[in-house]
Amino acid sequence: MYRQQILDHYKNPRNYGELEDPDIEHVGENPMCGDTIKMFVELADDGDTIERVRFVGDGCAISQASASMLSGELHGKSLETVEAMDRDDVADMLGVELSPMRIKCAVLAEKVAQDAIAIHKGEADPVETTTE
Ligand code: FES
């Protein structure tokens, strides 16, 4: 059973949609199932603080709820803070114990965000994120 909060974010995703001219844009996929998340990020004038996040996606309740929750969490954070997040932060955010399979669903959005930042900084090649 998923917690009510997860189902609520799945059915009513926050910050759902696209940004027209984002500073950062990146897509990721869980290759096990084909579920996807695409994130759009707008930065503040300092070039480091996340000002707006939007996402679109298609997938299971955990992956999409996780993207919805993360989109709210990222607001106001520095790029460095987001890069330092790990799967425990995602698990805490979701508030449920997850099996190894479901953890991949949960971390997809976080990986997309972190890869997006690495690509933005020129620290990674602009290839699609996967949970593998
Ligand atoms: Fe595909 Fe969860 S089953 S990301």
Side-chain angles (χ1 to χ4, degrees):
M1 274 291 283
Y2 301 144
R3 286 244 181 103
Q4 200 59 38
Q5 191 193 14
I6 293 176
L7 283 177
D8 178 46
H9 274 268
Y10 178 53
K11 289 179 183 164
N12 307 292
R14 320 304 197 263
N15 303 308
Y16 196 86
E18 302 191 3
L19 289 178
E20 241 175 50
D21 191 20
D23 294 298
I24 303 174
E25 177 181 335
H26 189 54
V27 66
E29 178 188 36
N30 181 345
M32 301 289 288
C33 56
D35 293 350
T36 59
I37 289 169
K38 187 171 188 181
M39 282 205 165
F40 305 83
V41 176
E42 195 175 286
L43 299 173
D45 289 343
D46 65 6
D48 187 54
T49 305
I50 294 177
E51 197 156 80
R52 292 175 82 196
V53 179
R54 294 287 182 275
F55 81 96
V56 293
D58 186 25
C60 69
I62 296 281
S63 69
Q64 303 304 305
S66 176
S68 172
M69 289 183 199
L70 190 70
S71 68
E73 289 280 321
L74 296 182
H75 184 84
K77 286 198 164 43
S78 71
L79 298 184
E80 198 177 334
T81 301
V82 178
E83 285 182 295
M85 290 176 75
D86 60 21
R87 58 178 53 195
D88 289 343
D89 293 316
V90 175
D92 288 350
M93 187 179 72
L94 289 168
V96 291
E97 290 283 326
L98 294 169
S99 68
M101 283 298 287
R102 302 305 279 171
I103 279 283
K104 291 198 174 192
C105 308
V107 299
L108 178 59
E110 182 192 52
K111 286 198 74 179
V112 170
Q114 290 175 327
D115 285 355
I117 291 169
I119 293 164
H120 174 71
K121 288 181 164 182
E123 296 168 358
D125 294 330
V127 295
E128 185 179 296
T129 291
T130 72
T131 52
E132 289 303 289

